[in-house]
Amino acid sequence: MITILLGPPGAGKGTQAKLLADRLGMEHVSTGDLLRSARSSGTLIGKQAADFMDQGLLVPDELVAGLVAEKLNEGNKHFLLDGFPRNLFQAEQLSEIATHAGQRIVAVLLIEVPVVELVKRLAGRGRADDSEETVRRRLEVYDNETQPLIKYFADLNILTRIEGTGAVEAIHGRILDTF
Ligand code: AP5
Ligand code: MG
């Protein structure tokens, strides 16, 4: 089974994914984390991804899809995808990867947070791609490339909206209520 966490940069996908994975024994797959670890271990994919990440742009689809396919082929687990898919093409890639791995997308949880709050959260964190300019670019990329996925998954009747403001534990509770 595959559950997808969808939402803008700073929505709390990573934070909520860790809690959910611990609580429900799901396998957390964050493409951002996979790419950052590829970079720090100096792999070819890491090198190819670096400039895109530093600019707040999406890394080319094929690089990311390969990382996801590798994970989903690991076996019969409940995967929690965080940061993938991020555009319509990746959604179609995921559908193929899932079919090939004998997996099915069961739910898409959209974490909704107002932009002012996103900017405040990311400014307070300080990851390499959290500079003001890069955050602005990441938000634009989300609006232009990732937002269309909301309608895509809503049309498939698998989208649930989660109010993403308030205490981390309260949001976790709202997400658990959807299972
Ligand atoms: P990625 O690592 O996925 O970053 P992102 O989507 O921009 O989102 P973040 O990780 O910044 O935010 P989050 O939603 O996980 O929130 P978090 O829990 O950390 O991607 C990075 C880059 O990799 C991309 O720009 C791209 O280049 C590349 N990439 C990745 N996937 C790709 C793909 N599929 N295709 C192409 N390229 C890809 O929380 C944020 C902060 O807020 C934290 O400090 C946290 O402590 C805090 N916080 C969380 N919840 C709350 C709360 N309720 N109240 C207050 N603070 C909170
Ligand atoms: Mg994250």
Side-chain angles (χ1 to χ4, degrees), residues 155-173:
D155 287 347
L156 295 175
N157 282 318
I158 50 174
L159 185 90
T160 304
R161 292 172 187 267
I162 307 289
E163 160 70 61
T165 52
V168 167
E169 276 301 329
I171 301 163
H172 178 55

Side-chain angles (χ1 to χ4, degrees), residues 10 12-15 18 28 30 32-33 36 82-83 125 127 138:
K13 302 182 296 295
T15 304
K18 284 188 190 77
H28 178 199
S30 158
D33 289 350
R36 280 182 289 277
D82 156 9
R125 183 178 59 176
R127 202 169 71 193
R138 284 160 60 202

Side-chain angles (χ1 to χ4, degrees), residues 15-56:
T15 304
Q16 294 299 331
K18 284 188 190 77
L19 292 174
L20 263 187
D22 282 352
R23 175 76 182 251
L24 301 178
M26 298 161 96
E27 178 84 6
H28 178 199
V29 178
S30 158
T31 45
D33 289 350
L34 290 171
L35 289 166
R36 280 182 289 277
S37 106
R39 281 183 76 168
S40 57
S41 37
T43 67
L44 181 59
I45 290 183
K47 290 190 180 116
Q48 290 169 321
D51 283 347
F52 296 97
M53 297 175 79
D54 290 342
Q55 290 178 63

Side-chain angles (χ1 to χ4, degrees), residues 11-173:
K13 302 182 296 295
T15 304
Q16 294 299 331
K18 284 188 190 77
L19 292 174
L20 263 187
D22 282 352
R23 175 76 182 251
L24 301 178
M26 298 161 96
E27 178 84 6
H28 178 199
V29 178
S30 158
T31 45
D33 289 350
L34 290 171
L35 289 166
R36 280 182 289 277
S37 106
R39 281 183 76 168
S40 57
S41 37
T43 67
L44 181 59
I45 290 183
K47 290 190 180 116
Q48 290 169 321
D51 283 347
F52 296 97
M53 297 175 79
D54 290 342
Q55 290 178 63
L57 298 172
L58 294 186
V59 167
D61 298 322
E62 275 66 28
L63 293 184
V64 186
L67 293 172
V68 174
E70 210 175 293
K71 283 283 171 192
L72 262 53
N73 282 313
E74 272 176 11
N76 192 19
K77 301 175 182 171
H78 189 165
F79 293 95
L80 182 58
L81 294 188
D82 156 9
F84 187 91
R86 253 176 151 100
N87 60 31
L88 289 168
F89 183 68
Q90 291 185 6
E92 275 154 26
Q93 285 180 310
L94 175 60
S95 162
E96 282 174 29
I97 294 168
T99 305
H100 186 260
Q103 291 280 350
R104 192 168 65 89
I105 303 168
V106 291
V108 179
L109 307 175
L110 171 65
I111 307 181
E112 298 185 293
V113 175
V115 174
V116 279
E117 170 79 13
L118 298 173
V119 171
K120 213 191 304 169
R121 287 184 188 179
L122 294 175
R125 183 178 59 176
R127 202 169 71 193
D129 57 349
D130 286 342
S131 73
E132 200 181 321
E133 192 193 336
T134 312
V135 165
R136 200 177 324 116
R137 178 78 57 73
R138 284 160 60 202
L139 289 167
E140 273 170 25
V141 167
Y142 178 80
D143 284 347
N144 296 332
E145 306 191 41
T146 310
Q147 285 248 33
L149 291 177
I150 298 174
K151 182 175 186 311
Y152 176 89
F153 288 121
D155 287 347
L156 295 175
N157 282 318
I158 50 174
L159 185 90
T160 304
R161 292 172 187 267
I162 307 289
E163 160 70 61
T165 52
V168 167
E169 276 301 329
I171 301 163
H172 178 55

